[in-house]
Amino acid sequence: MKALRIMCPSSVTDKSLRKLEHYYGIEFERGASNGGGENGYHAMIGDEELLKNLTFHNLIQIGLVKNGVKQATFNQTNWNKTKEGASVSLAGDDGSDVMQTFPTLYAIIGGTNSIYERYIISDEPFSYDGDEAEEIHPYAETPDFEVIVSNVARSIYNPTIAGTQGTTRLTNISAEGDYINANGYPSGSKSRYGFESAARAKNENVMLNVPYANASAIDLELIMALLYIECRTKNLNSVFGHGISSNASPSESTWGTVSGCRVKNGDAWTYLRFNSNVYISGEAVSMWSAINGQTSLLKIFEAQRAVSDGGTLEGVTNSDGEALQGLSDGVMTGIYTKTFTAKLTCALTSGGEVTERDVEVVLRVPVWRGRTRLWGNIWQHLSGYDVLNYQDGEGVVHNDLYRAKSIADMTTDTDETAKDSANEFAFVTKYEKIGDLGNTSGWMRDCLSTVKGRIVLPGVNTGAAINNYQSAYTNLDSEATAGKYRRKTAGFFGGYAYYSADVLRFCSAHGAPSHSGAFFGSGFRVELSE
């Protein structure tokens, strides 16, 4: 473990004797393969006491929100109670939604320094090295995936309301919900447009993105910054694990510490990832498909409810080896592990013996301050980014990233028809052009940022890996139609079981916003009235 290095421009105070460095954050070297420093960063920034206590992080709370107004704050480690001890219902019968709420914050998310990228936050205005902090207005967003009820997005857990579930091939399942019906699960099988419409249905004017809107990549940029500061690394998987992705494979020695399955093979076990195949009626079927048809493996708030009912989370440490705030600190942060057993009639190889076999499953899910809608479960459709795909006169394919200038400015159209001119798309004329993502998918080495220096989620220039440079993956369309401009989504974030590229900063600019699937979910956000 290395000594903590804190950098402050000064240690002077104002007339009230308040320290002027009323902020904290982290600094990375731009272009460094490990983000700078032996443990993943170059230096910590700001007030050491505020950083130690994560004062501004702890202003983020789980509670109930109705019509853009916060109704109650939960006990952060027991969602059965408010912080005052009153009983809580997660069912939303009164119209309230369970939300992760954010107060007014001020943030530098990247900055303009040519040598260092910086992520710094405060609860009041500040500047650092010539960068003025951006004001983040109070808002809330869903801590888990949503369920859509009568075409309206809800962040609730109600065991009588059906979401989306596939067909299980398992029998004798010991898990909650046992994957037999869809009650209590999040909604899937929607396009980005469908999720956007369900969120805006909560507004008086359903063509506006205020106060409610679909979950956005713009908000996720802030979440990225907050996680970098708390974890002290860009390689968030090294702190919270890989979810259900194929980044890590189970084995006899790792069983229980990574997600995966094991199937009885005689007296021994065969260890499988969720994307590994077994053979059912002669057909190759992935374990995820066998479990529940590639839909959500967790009910809404399943991890949070388990903790609230006396369960626990595995504690995690930052890149310096220091424990993150966890349950004993009143913070619902750590790794939730779900295990269950079942039976499956299958062969383990093509043409192999078909017999009923014992199956054991381990699901490992990151939880950050009550939030599980991060990475390593199902895809999430995020709004606020679009990509313009086209071919130039020399036959080179381009994927230009456009970013909404604000939540309110996010487009509401569903136009995907190929155009003769780029400006025929509304997002091209309304959004800020960030840059060309290129045409090669892979792990990204460099950042892209807005004109004001805010770093966005995708990166450019391949040649990195999950544990170095940006820990960001971009899936791009390498083809384009000569003379035509096409709209791509840039919005399948988080990854899912089939991808080894399962990280927070996963941007798919390959499919169109109309793309959907049972393994697609989303959340929503709302501007809060103070």
Side-chain angles (χ1 to χ4, degrees):
M1 183 185 299
K2 69 179 181 182
L4 177 63
R5 181 184 177 196
I6 298 285
M7 296 180 64
C8 303
S10 68
S11 295
V12 299
T13 58
D14 61 16
K15 292 180 180 179
S16 65
L17 299 182
R18 190 177 196 177
K19 291 181 180 179
L20 292 184
E21 63 271 11
H22 185 70
Y23 50 75
Y24 58 82
I26 191 167
E27 179 176 86
F28 298 99
E29 294 177 9
R30 294 188 188 271
S33 65
N34 64 350
E38 62 187 70
N39 288 346
Y41 65 94
H42 179 254
M44 304 306 294
I45 292 172
D47 184 84
E48 188 171 359
E49 192 67 18
L50 293 174
L51 175 65
K52 177 182 177 182
N53 295 327
L54 291 174
T55 301
F56 309 130
H57 283 69
N58 288 329
L59 299 175
I60 302 166
Q61 302 278 295
I62 302 293
L64 293 176
V65 174
K66 180 180 180 180
N67 298 327
V69 178
K70 190 169 183 179
Q71 306 294 308
T73 299
F74 289 178
N75 177 319
Q76 297 303 292
T77 58
N78 180 2
W79 290 14
N80 297 315
K81 302 287 184 182
T82 67
K83 67 177 182 180
E84 295 85 8
S87 296
V88 168
S89 171
L90 307 180
D93 293 335
D94 66 349
S96 295
D97 291 295
V98 178
M99 304 292 278
Q100 187 177 44
T101 64
F102 295 76
T104 299
L105 293 172
Y106 295 84
I108 293 172
I109 303 176
T112 59
N113 187 280
S114 61
I115 299 175
Y116 301 110
E117 60 181 81
R118 293 161 175 151
Y119 302 88
I120 316 172
I121 62 168
S122 179
D123 63 351
E124 62 181 33
F126 72 95
S127 62
Y128 188 92
D129 193 25
D131 287 321
E132 292 288 335
E134 170 189 355
E135 182 178 4
I136 311 294
H137 296 286
Y139 78 100
E141 58 180 313
T142 54
D144 203 343
F145 294 95
E146 69 191 50
V147 63
I148 297 176
V149 183
S150 300
N151 298 317
V152 178
R154 299 299 309 275
S155 179
I156 58 176
Y157 171 69
N158 188 322
T160 69
I161 294 177
T164 301
Q165 243 335 259
T167 301
T168 184
R169 310 287 189 97
L170 303 181
T171 59
N172 299 97
I173 308 171
S174 66
E176 175 187 348
D178 64 21
Y179 305 117
I180 299 300
N181 64 60
N183 287 355
Y185 286 95
S187 295
S189 300
K190 294 280 187 182
S191 69
R192 194 185 82 189
Y193 304 133
F195 284 114
E196 289 172 341
S197 176
R200 294 197 308 270
K202 299 172 80 70
N203 296 330
E204 184 175 344
N205 185 335
V206 298
M207 295 309 295
L208 296 181
N209 286 307
V210 289
Y212 285 89
N214 188 51
S216 83
I218 297 171
D219 292 328
L220 195 58
E221 295 164 0
L222 173 65
I223 300 302
M224 170 187 73
L226 292 165
L227 281 164
Y228 286 176
I229 295 169
E230 189 164 2
C231 298
R232 301 184 185 177
T233 182
K234 291 182 179 180
N235 182 10
L236 302 175
N237 295 63
S238 68
V239 176
F240 284 102
H242 303 284
I244 67 169
S245 77
S246 57
N247 275 326
S249 299
S251 65
E252 183 177 3
S253 61
T254 64
W255 184 247
T257 64
V258 297
S259 294
C261 313
R262 63 181 185 182
V263 181
K264 211 59 181 290
N265 184 12
D267 294 329
W269 291 102
T270 294
Y271 293 83
L272 303 171
R273 298 180 301 198
F274 288 100
N275 65 344
S276 300
N277 287 332
V278 292
Y279 294 83
I280 301 175
S281 301
E283 175 191 5
V285 178
S286 74
M287 283 303 300
W288 191 14
S289 296
I291 293 171
N292 71 342
Q294 296 183 35
T295 52
S296 176
L297 289 164
L298 292 174
K299 288 190 173 184
I300 297 173
F301 310 143
E302 185 170 332
Q304 298 94 325
R305 290 184 289 110
V307 172
S308 299
D309 291 338
T312 190
L313 299 175
E314 179 183 316
V316 293
T317 59
N318 63 27
S319 71
D320 286 326
E322 301 167 349
L324 266 63
Q325 292 179 350
L327 295 178
S328 62
D329 306 295
V331 178
M332 195 182 286
T333 288
I335 298 174
Y336 170 68
T337 301
K338 174 179 180 175
T339 61
F340 65 89
T341 60
K343 301 281 190 181
L344 177 63
T345 299
C346 68
L348 297 179
T349 59
S350 179
E353 180 190 10
V354 177
T355 186
E356 184 180 69
R357 303 175 187 273
D358 290 330
V359 176
E360 294 185 358
V361 179
V362 173
L363 300 173
R364 303 261 293 171
V365 180
V367 183
W368 176 71
R369 298 183 175 271
R371 181 189 186 118
T372 49
R373 190 171 54 83
L374 292 164
W375 68 86
N377 193 353
I378 55 176
W379 287 114
Q380 52 181 321
H381 260 305
L382 299 187
S383 303
Y385 290 176
D386 274 301
V387 163
L388 185 70
N389 169 263
Y390 63 97
Q391 185 181 120
D392 65 22
E394 297 180 354
V396 178
V397 174
H398 299 271
N399 291 284
D400 290 346
L401 176 67
Y402 287 79
R403 176 187 179 274
K405 297 175 183 178
S406 68
I407 300 295
D409 285 336
M410 293 192 308
T411 57
T412 58
D413 69 275
T414 61
D415 185 9
E416 287 183 6
T417 304
K419 309 297 183 187
D420 296 326
S421 169
N423 288 342
E424 294 181 62
F425 284 117
F427 74 87
V428 171
T429 59
K430 288 189 67 175
Y431 288 9
E432 177 185 347
K433 181 179 177 180
I434 303 300
D436 186 0
L437 295 171
N439 55 36
T440 305
S441 301
W443 293 102
M444 300 291 115
R445 293 172 60 96
D446 302 306
C447 294
L448 284 172
S449 62
T450 68
V451 293
K452 294 184 178 180
R454 183 192 260 229
I455 287 178
V456 300
L457 294 169
V460 290
N461 303 325
T462 56
I466 188 172
N467 60 347
N468 58 34
Y469 290 98
Q470 294 307 315
S471 192
Y473 194 92
T474 305
N475 183 21
L476 300 170
D477 196 336
S478 61
E479 298 181 354
T481 303
K484 292 293 183 179
Y485 295 85
R486 297 186 299 170
R487 184 182 192 179
K488 298 293 181 177
T489 184
F492 309 160
F493 286 89
Y496 73 135
Y498 273 77
Y499 278 77
S500 59
D502 228 353
V503 289
L504 179 73
R505 300 175 68 189
F506 188 117
C507 169
S508 177
H510 195 278
S514 59
H515 190 58
S516 66
F519 44 81
F520 277 91
S522 195
F524 59 88
R525 57 105 65 202
V526 59
E527 296 287 339
L528 291 178
S529 300
E530 291 188 282

